Amino acid sequence: MKHDALIQTVIMTQSEWPLWEVFIRSKQGLDHKHVGSLHAADAQMAIQNARDVYTRRQEGISIWVVESKHVHASNPDDAEAFFDPANDKVYRHPTFYQVPDSIKHM
Amino acid sequence: METLEMTQEEQFQARIDADVRIEPKDWMPDAYRKTLIRQISQHAHSELVGMLPEGNWITRAPSLKRKSILLSKVQDEAGHGLYLYSAAETLGTTRDQMLADLHSGKAKYSSIFNYPTLSWADMGCVGWLVDGAAILNQVPLCRTSYGPYARAMVRVCKEESFHQRQGFEIMQTLCEGAPEQKAMAQEALNRWWWPTLMMFGPKDEDSPNTAQSMNWRIKRFTNDELRQKFVDMMVPQAEFLGLTVPDTQVKWNEARQAYDFGEVNWDEFWAVVKGNGMCNRDRLGARVKAHEEGAWVREAAMAHAAKRAARQVVAA
Ligand SMILES: [Fe+2]
Ligand SMILES: [Fe+2]
Ligand SMILES: [Fe+2]
């Protein structure tokens, strides 16, 4: 009864439903954007609950859910050093360059 | 390199002072975390328990339109509770823990929901006054210092103004109706006015945590400031309806450019907070019953999900 044992362990080790992060595409052509989280027993239920919790007023046309434990994040304590490489590269921005007034369309 | 000499706590306060939002994984003082967990979970509990007094009237709404509106509003309040529980969970508490604290009576929720809803006009007063007071409390919270809380409040605030308007519309319809209907509206206002003023919490001098919360920018206005705003907003609206707020001391103060008003009955306020309001036992009893009766659904859903997952493992 390997099958049943597997089910039992899942139930026993989890008193509350897992947490899911919810992403919603508000209209065609836009990115899915993080809107919040919710608890659900599985992905299918998470999508249904996300519809009821986060799109009661037509806020979305598409939903993604990701179980929160699968999200990996950069460490805020290291943010300064981590994002440092971009700090001294002003030449990556168009405003770094001087364009003569007589030049149009640039 | 002054920042190197600042303690972690000073750096934290400097970020708050610069209006930088704090996010879940950022360092924060323990007391800040605890204060937020308490405040956000209390707020979530209020949304949840707040469904009960209005749920009481769904089956007795006077028309299909009113029933649909009320049902939608109550559903929104469930949603508000969920946004807020999620925000609190980012601080390291769990849903189970928060619900356990609510059900054991350890956690508080807004005392306003410990008053009974006796007539249909109460649905008008709850929307107009109670949601009106909630909006005043909540709008500044959209700029509160903790990111997930602020974002949840933006969502909540977008949905609240429908709540207030449908309540006002109920009141207006009653006030423009038969004399009995108008009397019903006045009677409901008489009962709800003072408890609504209590929603803003104790007087500033009796609210020892306000200073710290303002310093952390969790709170943006004091209880008394919000109460005054509420009275200034509501007295003219009651006049428009042709109703009288049940406070003989309400009077426009030209010098202050605000209404003077009477003193809240603070003995009643503390009695309700301590659990001795008209409906405290009913409300908590209803919550516990719903939770217990839902236990098999929660377990069944987990079993079903596990079964499906196992089937996938076997198939793979
Ligand atoms: Fe709400
Ligand atoms: Fe609320
Ligand atoms: Fe509301």
Side-chain angles (χ1 to χ4, degrees), chain B residues 156-227:
Chain B
V156 167
C157 285
K158 270 190 199 155
E159 299 179 351
E160 285 293 354
S161 70
F162 136 63
H163 298 179
Q164 197 189 16
R165 285 182 184 202
Q166 64 85 36
F168 186 80
E169 193 190 72
I170 291 174
M171 293 304 277
Q172 200 184 348
T173 307
L174 290 172
C175 289
E176 288 166 359
E180 290 85 349
Q181 288 175 305
K182 183 153 187 190
M184 193 197 227
Q186 180 65 55
E187 190 273 337
L189 174 58
N190 293 347
R191 278 181 293 109
W192 287 97
W193 178 254
W194 290 105
T196 319
L197 292 191
M198 295 177 200
M199 282 176 71
F200 298 98
K203 287 162 83 88
D204 290 350
E205 67 240 44
D206 299 323
S207 178
N209 301 325
T210 294
Q212 180 58 277
S213 283
M214 302 266 291
N215 217 17
W216 278 331
R217 301 203 182 174
I218 293 175
K219 241 177 136 146
R220 295 282 190 158
F221 295 98
T222 72
N223 298 351
D224 287 335
E225 283 169 349
L226 290 170
R227 197 166 7 248

Side-chain angles (χ1 to χ4, degrees), chain A residues 38-98:
Chain A
L38 49 75
H39 288 273
D42 61 14
Q44 194 183 336
M45 185 189 205
I47 289 173
Q48 256 164 26
N49 288 358
R51 178 200 60 190
D52 294 339
V53 178
Y54 291 105
T55 66
R56 286 194 302 283
R57 289 176 177 76
Q58 298 172 296
E59 290 95 338
I61 54 152
S62 164
I63 297 173
W64 286 352
V65 295
V66 179
E67 210 178 327
S68 309
K69 68 177 184 198
H70 295 309
V71 175
H72 301 268
S74 63
N75 182 352
D77 296 336
D78 302 339
E80 216 171 306
F82 188 70
F83 294 106
D84 172 75
N87 283 354
D88 55 358
K89 297 179 180 62
V90 280
Y91 46 81
R92 285 176 174 171
H93 298 276
T95 44
F96 178 75
Y97 303 89
Q98 282 202 338

Side-chain angles (χ1 to χ4, degrees), chain B residues 47 76-77 80 131 138 156 160 163:
Chain B
E47 303 284 353
D76 274 355
E77 307 300 5
H80 297 175
D131 285 87
Q138 288 167 351
V156 167
E160 285 293 354
H163 298 179

